[in-house]
Amino acid sequence: MKKTSLAIEGMHCASCAINIEKQLNKTDGVKSASVNYGMSKAYVEYDEDAVAEDVIDEVITSAGDYRVVREGEHDDHMSHGKGPDKAYKKFLTALILTLPLLATMFFPDLMMKDGVMEGMAALTAVVVFVVGWQFHRGMFLQLKRFRADMDTLVSVGTLSAFIYSLYAMTIDGHVYFETAAVIVTLILLGKYLEEKSKGRASSAIKKLLELGVKKARVLVDGKEQEMDIEKIREGDILLVKAGEKIPLDGEILKGSSSVDESMLTGESIPIEKNMGDLVYGATINGAGVIEMKVTKTGENTVLAQIIQLVEQAQGSKAPIQKLADKVAGIFVPSVMVIALATFLIWMFVVGSGFESSIIYAVAVLVIACPCALGLATPTAIMVGSGKGAENGILIKESQSLEVAHKITAVMFDKTGTLTKGEPVVTDVNVFDDNLEKQELMTLACSLEAKSEHVLASAFNKHAKDLGLKTYETEGVKAIAGKGVEGKVNGKKIYLGNDKLIESLGVEKNNTHGDVFEDLADNGKTPMYVIEDKKVIGIVAVADVVRDEAKTAVKELTEQNIDVYMITGDHEKTAQAIAKQLGIKHVVANVMPDHKAEEVTKLQKSGSVVAFVGDGINDAPALAQADLGIAIGSGTDVAIEAGSIVLMQSNPQKVVDAIRLSRQTFKSIKQNLFFAFFYNTIAIPLAALGILSPIIAAAAMSLSSVSVVGNSLRIRRKRL
């Protein structure tokens, strides 16, 4: 079986994606197919012996007015920032042309002036047939396959209002040009809002690609040579200097350093790397100089795998099928049948004559025009997203609104999400009776002030916060994997872990060991402070929990939502943090691909999962989750991958975001229900001749006002 992803041009609504997906899954030799409208991509798994690639292309193109974009054109396709601009221009054009038509509603005397009626007809024709041509094209394509969708509904409504208005001009009857134009304008507004969310997945992937380096230093016969990353092969020896990004995955052959792997693990504390240790592309080398042997290149690197995971997870999401489209499949043909039946019954059974019969039939079609439907979703989204923005919550995708009210589990990334993501000094223990805490920390902070030690930032911040005046130091240097040493105020001072104690031959008593272990058990990183081979203190550093995290966990639990914490930290540290927060479910020692896997496991167990994260490493899990919530202070990639973005690093906002999403989606459901309910009541009245086209148009306007009013109620609700 072969898996492939195909970029597709020409999809303009969610039903397009569903249509293509259905046709692909019907094709012999295709095991599975998933089409993502947001990314404009099809993900196909197929048997190469049973079906050729060009056959798959043909199936896609024959499903409608679509085109498969091949590899050479891929970059252009990915950067489809023109989509929202084009949709906005269409909406703006329609709006500008429609506004003069609405003027006649407020100044009916204008209709009596020469040329006004003809001008209205001309403006409406441009809106309906030029600006709104996509709806008619969509209707024709669907009718060829004996199907109906939202495009069919829009096309039937606008054409009926326009054509009857032309007829009404000949008999001095009432015209409905503004009705046809308003329908197109409102629907184009909805299309613009949809188009804005398209391409975010591809943008996320592009940002991931930008993390990689373009060139690397290759050692050839001991000489340094700069080479393009694409030309480097497995087994090549690379030189990586201090502060540089590691070009590719590999093994350290010479040297030692601390490496910032936060883009992979999410953990803020750099990792000590020595000879024989593995390093990964796009991670950042610390102060040391290393020589490494390349073990993985191209699509086999960890970064490439993360990119693949993001893309696959996004593609695996079934496109949301709008409620309006679902109902339209039955509603549209039903309306057309009712309108035809209305005409025939009044014409031949009742004998009311052609003019009356056509008016009653048109009243049915006008009353069925989807003005309220066009407003139902975009108004709720606009009001909901506006309120969200005021409260630091950005709703990016309409899918999140439908998913939010079904959430049964929230999985939090630990570092930078539940915790602050930066190490701070938390504990100071003194074991020398002649030494004060402040003096101990002055010694430690002085040592770290000019140190390359991975935790130096915590000590530097501590000294700054307390206003400590550090001593002069000499010969300060890092001891790889153990700590740091140097002369402070004439004293030989060491700061480090158990390995440092052992290497120096320093004796530690039971008290020292108990304090050290107790701090480690509580999720902290303890370090011995040593003077002249004597332990004079223990200082602990930790990534501290955010103040709002405990409240957020409590509120989610009270809503019967299971709360999980996932982290690359050790089990002991993770459990200690979880205990502080009241979290029962903990997944520790996790790499990026495993985060997405853990989300998948929860989904397979029947949970509807929201994932909350801030780092690049969280992007696959954010994409895989039913609802991805990204912390805005995190990386751009995480923000792009998430469906909801929190502009503040406040876990409490997760609760608010879910609540707002539920409120917004509830409003959308109410709007759609009202729109369809209105039609089910009004259409029979129109068919019975109780409602004239004029009254039908007024009732249609009233339904639109009601939908807008219901959407505005979101603003008054508390989060």
Coordinates of all heavy atoms in Angstrom, one line a residue, residues 378-390 393 395 401 660 664 711 714-715:
P378 N -22.1 33.0 10.3 CA -21.2 34.1 10.4 C -21.4 35.1 11.5 O -20.5 35.6 12.2 CB -21.2 34.8 9.0 CG -22.4 34.3 8.4 CD -22.7 32.9 9.0
T379 N -22.7 35.4 11.8 CA -23.0 36.4 12.9 C -22.6 35.9 14.2 O -22.0 36.6 15.0 CB -24.5 36.8 12.9 OG1 -25.3 35.7 13.0 CG2 -24.8 37.6 11.6
A380 N -22.9 34.6 14.5 CA -22.6 34.0 15.8 C -21.1 33.9 15.9 O -20.5 34.2 17.0 CB -23.2 32.6 15.9
I381 N -20.4 33.6 14.8 CA -18.9 33.5 14.9 C -18.3 34.9 15.1 O -17.4 35.0 15.9 CB -18.4 32.8 13.6 CG1 -18.7 31.4 13.5 CG2 -16.9 33.0 13.5 CD1 -18.3 30.7 12.3
M382 N -18.8 35.9 14.4 CA -18.3 37.2 14.5 C -18.5 37.8 16.0 O -17.6 38.3 16.6 CB -19.0 38.1 13.5 CG -18.5 37.9 12.1 SD -19.4 38.9 10.9 CE -18.8 40.5 11.3
V383 N -19.7 37.6 16.5 CA -20.0 38.0 17.9 C -19.2 37.2 18.9 O -18.5 37.8 19.8 CB -21.5 38.0 18.2 CG1 -21.7 38.4 19.7 CG2 -22.3 38.8 17.3
G384 N -19.2 35.9 18.7 CA -18.4 35.0 19.6 C -16.9 35.3 19.6 O -16.3 35.4 20.6
S385 N -16.4 35.4 18.4 CA -14.9 35.7 18.3 C -14.6 37.1 18.8 O -13.5 37.3 19.3 CB -14.5 35.5 16.8 OG -15.2 36.4 16.0
G386 N -15.5 38.0 18.6 CA -15.3 39.4 19.1 C -15.2 39.4 20.6 O -14.3 40.0 21.2
K387 N -16.1 38.7 21.2 CA -16.1 38.6 22.7 C -14.9 37.8 23.2 O -14.3 38.2 24.2 CB -17.4 37.9 23.2 CG -17.5 37.8 24.7 CD -18.7 37.2 25.2 CE -18.8 37.1 26.7 NZ -20.0 36.5 27.2
G388 N -14.5 36.8 22.4 CA -13.3 36.1 22.8 C -12.1 36.9 22.7 O -11.2 36.9 23.6
A389 N -12.0 37.8 21.6 CA -10.8 38.6 21.5 C -10.7 39.6 22.7 O -9.6 39.9 23.1 CB -10.9 39.4 20.2
E390 N -11.9 40.1 23.1 CA -11.9 41.0 24.3 C -11.4 40.4 25.5 O -10.9 41.0 26.4 CB -13.3 41.5 24.5 CG -13.8 42.5 23.4 CD -15.3 42.8 23.6 OE1 -15.9 42.4 24.6 OE2 -15.8 43.5 22.8
I393 N -9.1 35.4 23.9 CA -9.4 34.1 23.3 C -9.6 34.3 21.9 O -10.6 35.0 21.5 CB -10.6 33.4 24.0 CG1 -10.3 33.2 25.5 CG2 -10.9 32.1 23.4 CD1 -11.6 32.9 26.3
I395 N -10.8 32.4 18.5 CA -11.3 31.2 17.9 C -11.0 31.3 16.4 O -11.4 32.1 15.7 CB -12.9 31.2 18.1 CG1 -13.2 31.1 19.6 CG2 -13.5 30.0 17.4 CD1 -14.7 31.3 19.9
L401 N -16.0 25.0 17.4 CA -17.3 25.4 18.0 C -18.2 24.2 18.2 O -18.9 24.0 19.2 CB -18.0 26.5 17.2 CG -17.2 27.8 17.0 CD1 -17.9 28.7 16.1 CD2 -16.9 28.4 18.3
L660 N -16.9 29.6 26.1 CA -17.3 30.6 25.0 C -17.6 29.8 23.7 O -18.6 30.1 23.0 CB -16.1 31.5 24.7 CG -16.3 32.5 23.5 CD1 -17.5 33.4 23.7 CD2 -15.1 33.3 23.2
T664 N -21.2 29.9 21.7 CA -21.2 30.3 20.3 C -21.9 29.2 19.5 O -22.7 29.5 18.6 CB -19.8 30.6 19.8 OG1 -19.2 31.6 20.6 CG2 -19.9 31.2 18.3
S711 N -27.7 36.1 18.0 CA -26.2 36.0 18.0 C -25.7 37.1 19.0 O -24.7 36.8 19.7 CB -25.7 36.2 16.6 OG -26.0 35.2 15.7
I714 N -24.8 36.5 22.8 CA -23.6 36.0 23.3 C -22.8 37.0 24.0 O -22.1 36.7 25.0 CB -22.7 35.4 22.1 CG1 -23.5 34.3 21.3 CG2 -21.4 34.9 22.6 CD1 -22.8 33.9 20.0
R715 N -22.8 38.3 23.6 CA -22.0 39.3 24.2 C -22.4 39.5 25.7 O -21.6 40.0 26.5 CB -22.2 40.6 23.5 CG -21.6 40.6 22.1 CD -21.6 42.0 21.5 NE -20.8 42.9 22.2 CZ -19.5 43.1 22.0 NH1 -18.9 42.4 21.1 NH2 -18.9 44.0 22.7

